[in-house]
Structures are given as C-alpha cells and as structure tokens.
C-alpha cells in the first residue's frame, strides 16, 4: 500500500509537471503565434516597401531613359555603371562597349579630355557638383563637338555614384555664332548705309554751290549739272537695290518675262557704265556673239544683273586695271562672265561672298563703297530666272571672275525689241493745267517750277482735303499726286477726284516714294493712270504728260 501510495504521489507529481509543461507550451504557442503575426505584418510591410522601391527604381530608370540628354552613372572610380539610350544614340556606341568601362578608356580614349579630367578629379570632389561646364572634343564619327556638362555626386554609407549629364550644344553654338555674325554684319551695314547715303550729298552740295554762284562759267555749270544728275541717280539706285532685295526676300517680286536679246542688253549695260570705266581708267575687254543670244527673262532685272556685276568689277579693281566681259552660247545655256584684275577674294570669304552684307573690302579707303547687297541681289535674280552664278578667285590681289548661266532660247526665237526711253522731242507742244499735290513743300514747289518753265499752268496743294478743294476751283487736266498725304491719303484723294464731274477725263499720276508691286496695283485700283517713283525722272514725267495716248482709259505705269 505504501508503494502504491508512493507511486500515486509520483503520478500526481508527474501530472502536475505535465500540467505545468502544458501550460508553458500553451504560453509558448501563444508567444509563437504573436511572433508569427508580427513576422507576417513585417513581411507585408517589407513587400510594400519592396514594391515602392521597385516602382521608384522603374520610375527613375524611365526618367533616365526618356531623357533626350545623354546621361552616365559612374562609380567612385569613374567606371560606367549605366548609360541611357540618348548616350548610346548620340555617341554611336553600345551597352556592351560601355558598361563597366572606365570613362577615360571609353571609345579608344576619346573621352580622355583634359578639361573633363580636371572637372571630375578636382572640381567634383571638392564641390560635389558642377553646372554648365563646356568642353570641346573631336570624336571620330561625329567630328568636333561642344558639350555642356552637369554633374552631381550621390554618396551612401558604403558606395558613391556620380551622375554626369551631357548636352551636345554644337548646333546651338554654331547658330549663336551665325547670329552674332549676322548681327555684326547688320551693324556694319547700317553704318555703311549711312555712309553711302551721305556720300552723294557732298558733290550735290558742291554742284549746287557752283551753280548758285553764277560766275563759274557755262562749262563749269554744265559739269555741275551732270554731277548732280549722276549723284541723284546713284542715290536712287542705292534705294532701289534695298527695296528690290526686300521684295525678293519676301517673295513679292514678279518677273515680267519675255524673249530678251542678251547681246543688246549687255552692250547697253556697258554704255551705262562707261563713265565709271573712264573715270578709273579701266581697260574693258568686251566679247559678244555676232548673231545675238536670247533668253526668256525680265529685261529690267537682267539689266540689273549685268550692271551690278560690272559695277562690282569697277568698284574692286584699282585704277588702270583690266575688266573683261564675255557672253557666249554653251549648249542650251547663255554664259556671261565678268572678270577683273582687282583685289580678289580670300579663300575664307569665297564661300560667303553672295551672302547679305558681305563685302570683300571693308577698309575705310575703299574707292567706291557700297552696301554689300549687290551680289546677294544678283544671285537671287539669277535664281529667279532659273539660272546659277558662281565665282572664282585665286586669292587676295589676284582678281576674280563671276560666271552667270541662264537657260538660252532656241536660236529661232525672236526677242522683243529693247525698250527705249520715252522722249518728248518731236511731240506737239501742249500746255496743260496741272495740279501738284505733295506734303513736302520743296518737292511741290520745285516740281511746279519745272512744269511752269515748260509752259504749263500749275497750282499746288499740300494735303488731301486741300487737293480736293483746289481741284474743284482749278479744274486741272493733270494731277500729280503724292500718296502719303496728311488728312486723306493719295488713294482716297484719287477716288474722290474721279467722282468729280469737273475732272472727267483728267490724267491722274501717282508721284510717290512707294514703288512696290502692291503699291502700283493699289494706285491702279484707286484710279491712277500712271505711277512714278521718286525721285522722278523729268524726261519720263514730260513724256507721260505730253504723249497723247496717255489719257484716262490707257493706264501707263512707269
């Protein structure tokens, strides 16, 4: 019994121990369950963080890859860890040839640039970043490029990364340099324009003074008058060149094409330039076809081409030099060559000699001056005629040769007779009542005086309303009307004059500084019979008002 009792006590004790152990196991299980719940929560947090990190990484890589600007990611040893598509595309390389390669060894050392080394090895460690640093380097497949660099150092506890952004600004730099060149040429042009427009004023003033004195003698007065005429024509030509260039640039010029005999036209241009040639003692060699050479073109513009090339040769050939002008038929082309023994063209200028505002000689002692637009005008007029122009020169001091090629007409084509300057000689002497309207009193007064010397009865008006009132009382047969008038412009004045019964059959002539094609069209629409551009040639004015065919219903535009 005692043994059974002892055994029972042992069983009870063991049972208590098992009970205690079970309680401990339950407690441990509860703790394990709690830990397991914490681990699951932590795991969910880690998964969320991992997703966020993956999204952030994908976003960053997307940003890097979609950048148009090349970007490199370097480690602390300047070894390339990553490059974006723009880098591979712009610098003609691949991922295999780029990643894990030290920057200076990339592409057979083409990135081993002293200025870049200094930035990465000296500036960046000290400042952790640099911005808008420019380096220039020649790349085998790209040529010389100008690069703008930006860099930033990123450091963590155990590693370092360098972001290097590379922007190719070669084109921007080239464009900026070109703009600076154009701006400089513009400034030079404006200074030259003021100089060239003032140049004729000195001989004009001198000629007027000679004329005013009254004691210089008839020969001197005639010489002064010829000087006045030349200088006024020069001034008008400068303005015409400017306006023509503007029209061509804006695409508003219209060629009046017809068959033209270039042989006659070239001979006429030489006659017009004879005074310049003789004044500089130039020797002219002229070779023209015996049987003529025809092209389809605008006679006035073709004359402008030849005259400008000949004037250019005179301008840049020292006194006593030789100028040669030849016209030949080559296959289906008419070939005009103007050669000289002048100052020549340097190789660096040869490619831009037809550009606007470019001149071969910019020294202050140039004999003839000019605005630097003549050759630009020539090239564009030649191109409008379907031709081409080029220039050759062996260099400074060795002369130059300009060659114009134009499509030639078949030899059977008959060119129109060359336009002759209208003359008043031989016409019956007629007297008219003429109203001159101009807001410039000197222009109105001088024009009236010239017409009075021709025997006409003349009155003047200085604004639009005054012109209408004068017309109602004076009943003019001819009205010379400025366009830019105060009160009412010339177009409106013309329309109102046409409505007056007392002016039925009167001749209305626009006499204005506005001479573009649209201005002529507007004047014709407003009721003008003629359109003269200031400064008006007196012979042309006399021909217009004296010719019996120049009446209302037969518009004449000059």
């Amino acid at each position: 019994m005692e043994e059974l009792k002892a055994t029972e006590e042992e069983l009870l004790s063991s049972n208590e121990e098992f009970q205690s152990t079970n309680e401990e196991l339950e407690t441990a299980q509860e703790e394990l369950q709690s830990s397991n719940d914490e681990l699951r929560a932590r795991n969910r947090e880690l998964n969320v963080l991992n997703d966020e990190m993956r999204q952030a990484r994908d976003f960053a890589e997307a940003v890097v890859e979609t950048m148009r600007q090349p970007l490199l990611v370097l480690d602390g040893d300047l070894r390339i860890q990553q490059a974006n598509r723009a880098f591979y595309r712009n610098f003609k390389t691949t991922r295999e040839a780029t990643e894990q390669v030290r920057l200076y060894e990339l592409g057979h050392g083409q990135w081993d640039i002293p200025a870049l080394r200094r930035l990465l090895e000296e500036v960046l460690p000290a400042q952790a970043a640099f911005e808008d640093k420019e380096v220039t380097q020649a790349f085998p497949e790209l040529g010389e490029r100008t690069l703008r660099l930006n860099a930033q150092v990123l450091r963590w506890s155990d590693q370092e990364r360098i972001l290097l952004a590379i922007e190719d600004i070669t084109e921007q730099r080239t464009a900026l340099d070109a703009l600076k060149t154009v701006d400089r040429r513009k400034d030079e042009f404006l200074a030259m324009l003021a100089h060239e427009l003032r140049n004729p004023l000195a001989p004009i003033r001198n000629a007027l003074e000679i004329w005013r004195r009254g004691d210089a003698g008839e020969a001197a007065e005639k010489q002064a008058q010829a000087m006045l005429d030349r200088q006024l024509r020069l001034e008008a030509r400068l303005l015409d060149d400017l306006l023509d260039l503007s029209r061509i640039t804006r695409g508003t010029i219209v060629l009046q094409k017809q068959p033209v005999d270039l042989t006659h036209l070239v001979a006429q241009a030489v006659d017009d330039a004879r005074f310049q040639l003789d004044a500089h003692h130039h020797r002219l060699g002229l070779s023209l076809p015996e049987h003529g050479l025809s092209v389809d073109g605008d006679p006035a513009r073709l004359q402008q081409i030849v005259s400008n090339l000949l004037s250019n040769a005179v301008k840049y050939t020292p006194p006593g030099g030789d100028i040669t002008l030849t016209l030949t038929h080559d296959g289906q082309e008419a070939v005009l060559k103007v050669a000289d023994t002048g100052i020549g063209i340097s190789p660096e200028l040869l490619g831009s000699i037809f550009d606007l505002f470019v001149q071969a000689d910019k020294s202050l002692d140039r004999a003839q001056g000019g605005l630097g637009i003549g050759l630009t005008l020539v090239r564009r007029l030649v191109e409008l005629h379907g031709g081409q122009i080029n220039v050759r020169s062996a260099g400074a001091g060795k002369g130059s040769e300009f060659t114009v090629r134009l499509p030639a007409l078949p030899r059977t084509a008959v060119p129109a007779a060359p336009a002759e300057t209208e003359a008043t000689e031989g016409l019956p002497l007629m007297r008219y009542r003429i109203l001159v309207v101009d807001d410039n009193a000197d222009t109105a007064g001088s024009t009236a005086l010239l017409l009075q010397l021709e025997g006409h009865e003349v009155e003047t008006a200085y604004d639009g309303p005054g012109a209408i009132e004068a017309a109602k009382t004076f009943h003019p047969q001819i009205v010379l009307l400025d366009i830019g008038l105060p009160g009412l412009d010339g177009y409106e004045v013309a329309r109102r004059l046409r409505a007056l019964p007392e002016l039925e059959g009167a001749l209305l002539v626009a006499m204005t500084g506005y001479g573009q094609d649209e201005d002529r069209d507007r004047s014709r629409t407003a009721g003008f019979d003629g359109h003269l551009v200031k400064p008006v040639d007196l012979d042309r004015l006399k021909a217009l008002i004296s010719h019996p065919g120049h009446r209302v219903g037969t518009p004449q535009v000059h």
Side-chain angles (χ1 to χ4, degrees):
M1 289 295 292
E2 291 177 356
E3 289 179 359
L4 286 173
K5 188 175 182 180
T7 300
E8 185 179 356
E9 290 175 352
E10 288 177 0
L11 287 172
L12 290 173
S13 176
S14 297
N15 189 41
E16 290 174 356
E17 290 178 359
F18 282 134
Q19 185 66 32
S20 176
T21 301
N22 188 49
E23 291 175 354
E24 290 176 358
L25 287 172
E26 288 178 354
T27 301
Q29 186 177 5
E30 291 175 356
E31 292 176 352
L32 184 60
Q33 182 65 38
S34 177
S35 297
N36 195 39
D37 291 342
E38 290 179 2
L39 286 173
R40 278 196 294 268
R42 183 61 175 166
N43 189 51
R44 285 193 298 271
E45 291 175 0
L46 289 174
N47 285 334
V48 171
L49 288 173
N50 190 47
D51 289 342
E52 290 177 352
M53 289 180 63
R54 186 184 302 111
Q55 291 173 5
R57 182 195 64 199
D58 292 345
F59 178 77
E61 289 185 353
V63 170
V64 168
E65 288 299 333
T66 55
M67 285 179 60
R68 297 181 63 186
Q69 187 181 61
L71 182 68
L72 291 178
V73 180
L74 311 173
D75 63 15
D77 294 327
L78 302 181
R79 196 174 297 277
I80 300 171
Q81 300 300 308
Q82 184 182 354
N84 66 352
R85 282 193 296 266
F87 181 85
Y88 296 130
R89 181 178 61 250
N90 288 17
F91 293 100
K92 314 297 182 186
T93 186
T94 63
R95 186 182 303 276
E96 294 75 20
T98 302
E99 290 188 353
Q100 302 306 317
V101 176
R102 200 158 186 264
L103 178 61
Y104 301 146
E105 299 169 0
L106 183 64
H108 305 290
Q110 63 192 27
W111 287 88
D112 191 2
I113 308 169
L116 179 58
R117 271 185 176 272
R118 188 184 68 82
L119 290 170
L120 293 176
E121 297 176 6
E122 299 177 20
V123 176
L124 197 59
Q127 302 179 6
F130 59 75
E131 295 181 352
D132 298 333
K133 303 296 184 182
E134 294 184 12
V135 299
T136 300
Q137 175 72 354
F139 293 87
E141 295 185 9
L142 304 175
E144 187 172 276
R145 315 301 293 178
T146 300
L147 309 177
R148 180 182 291 147
L149 307 175
N150 290 272
Q152 177 72 50
V153 177
L154 303 176
R155 292 189 176 94
W156 296 275
S157 57
D158 59 343
Q159 60 180 320
E160 176 180 286
R161 289 291 184 267
I162 299 170
L163 299 181
L164 179 63
I166 307 162
E167 182 183 3
D168 187 345
I169 60 170
T170 307
E171 293 182 1
Q172 295 96 309
R173 183 66 60 194
T174 301
L176 180 61
D177 291 342
L179 285 174
K180 288 180 179 177
T181 299
V182 170
D183 188 59
R184 186 186 70 252
R185 287 178 181 171
K186 179 205 68 178
D187 291 341
E188 293 173 352
F189 166 75
L190 291 175
M192 192 61 66
L193 176 61
H195 176 267
E196 293 302 315
L197 291 177
R198 285 179 177 275
N199 255 353
L201 299 181
I204 288 174
R205 182 186 290 272
N206 293 340
L208 286 172
E209 182 63 22
I210 292 170
W211 204 351
R212 185 186 65 81
R213 288 173 60 94
D215 59 358
E218 184 179 354
E221 287 186 356
K222 287 188 177 297
Q223 185 179 357
Q225 292 167 7
M227 187 190 309
L228 277 170
D229 184 65
R230 285 194 303 272
Q231 296 304 319
L232 286 172
R233 290 178 186 275
L234 173 60
E235 194 92 350
R237 181 175 175 180
L238 289 172
L239 295 175
D240 286 341
D241 280 354
L242 284 170
L243 292 172
D244 283 341
L245 186 64
S246 173
R247 293 172 191 141
I248 292 175
T249 301
R250 292 184 291 112
T252 59
I253 195 167
V254 178
L255 298 182
Q256 305 297 325
K257 285 189 173 184
Q258 62 186 56
V260 178
D261 182 1
L262 273 184
T263 305
H264 178 88
L265 188 144
V266 170
Q268 182 63 49
V270 170
D271 286 343
D272 292 343
R274 184 62 63 184
F275 177 83
Q276 283 183 295
L277 292 165
D278 293 345
H280 293 85
H281 308 290
H282 288 142
R283 294 180 293 272
L284 176 67
L286 182 62
S287 176
L288 301 176
E290 293 182 3
H291 304 293
L293 179 53
S294 302
V295 298
D296 185 29
D298 186 322
R301 300 306 180 183
L302 291 171
Q303 180 98 12
Q304 204 170 358
I305 291 170
V306 180
S307 296
N308 277 10
L309 288 176
L310 193 54
S311 176
N312 187 75
V314 171
K315 183 188 306 181
Y316 292 114
T317 301
D322 294 315
I323 296 174
T324 304
L325 194 153
T326 61
L327 179 64
T328 58
H329 195 253
D330 182 13
Q332 297 181 342
E333 292 182 321
V335 181
L336 173 72
K337 293 186 178 182
V338 180
D340 61 65
T341 58
I343 67 172
I345 305 170
S346 61
E348 60 271 17
L349 192 60
L350 202 58
S352 60
I353 194 65
F354 293 108
D355 292 348
L356 192 59
F357 308 147
V358 171
Q359 292 176 294
D361 181 11
K362 294 186 173 62
S363 60
L364 293 177
D365 60 349
R366 292 178 308 127
Q368 294 296 318
L371 298 177
I373 63 176
L375 291 179
T376 304
L377 190 59
V378 166
R379 180 183 64 178
R380 297 186 181 181
L381 287 174
V382 169
E383 291 171 349
L384 284 174
H385 281 84
Q388 58 182 357
I389 182 171
N390 58 63
V391 59
R392 293 192 304 112
S393 177
K398 298 182 179 179
S400 58
E401 180 183 80
F402 290 85
T403 302
V404 174
R405 292 181 173 272
L406 297 170
L409 290 176
R411 295 185 184 275
T412 55
V414 180
E420 299 292 341
T421 302
E422 292 180 279
T424 59
E425 295 180 9
L427 294 176
L429 189 61
M430 303 182 72
R431 303 285 185 258
Y432 294 108
R433 293 188 307 278
I434 301 177
L435 175 63
V436 177
V437 186
D438 200 301
D439 61 335
N440 185 303
D442 284 343
T443 301
S446 59
T447 304
L449 179 58
L450 287 170
L451 293 171
Q452 286 167 349
L453 292 173
E454 293 292 320
H456 301 291
E457 184 181 353
V458 185
E459 282 201 9
T460 57
Y462 306 103
D463 56 33
I468 296 172
E469 291 304 314
K472 290 178 179 178
T473 58
F474 183 53
H475 299 173
Q477 297 165 290
I478 298 171
V479 180
L480 303 180
L481 183 59
D482 188 20
I483 297 297
L485 291 172
L488 294 172
D489 65 35
Y491 300 123
E492 181 60 28
V493 172
R495 282 188 283 267
R496 296 193 184 189
L497 292 180
R498 282 288 178 227
L500 294 176
E502 52 265 50
L503 261 71
E504 183 179 358
L507 180 74
L508 264 60
V509 180
M511 197 166 65
T512 174
Y514 299 105
Q516 301 190 36
D517 292 338
E518 55 265 34
D519 300 317
R520 298 174 187 274
D521 291 339
R522 285 189 67 186
S523 67
R524 193 179 292 111
T525 302
F528 283 100
D529 301 298
H531 189 112
L532 298 175
V533 180
K534 298 175 181 178
V536 175
D537 184 279
L538 182 59
D539 289 336
R540 182 168 287 182
L541 175 60
K542 289 163 60 178
L544 181 62
I545 65 178
S546 299
H547 198 289
H550 294 179
R551 299 261 64 83
V552 176
T554 309
Q556 301 292 324
V557 178
H558 294 262

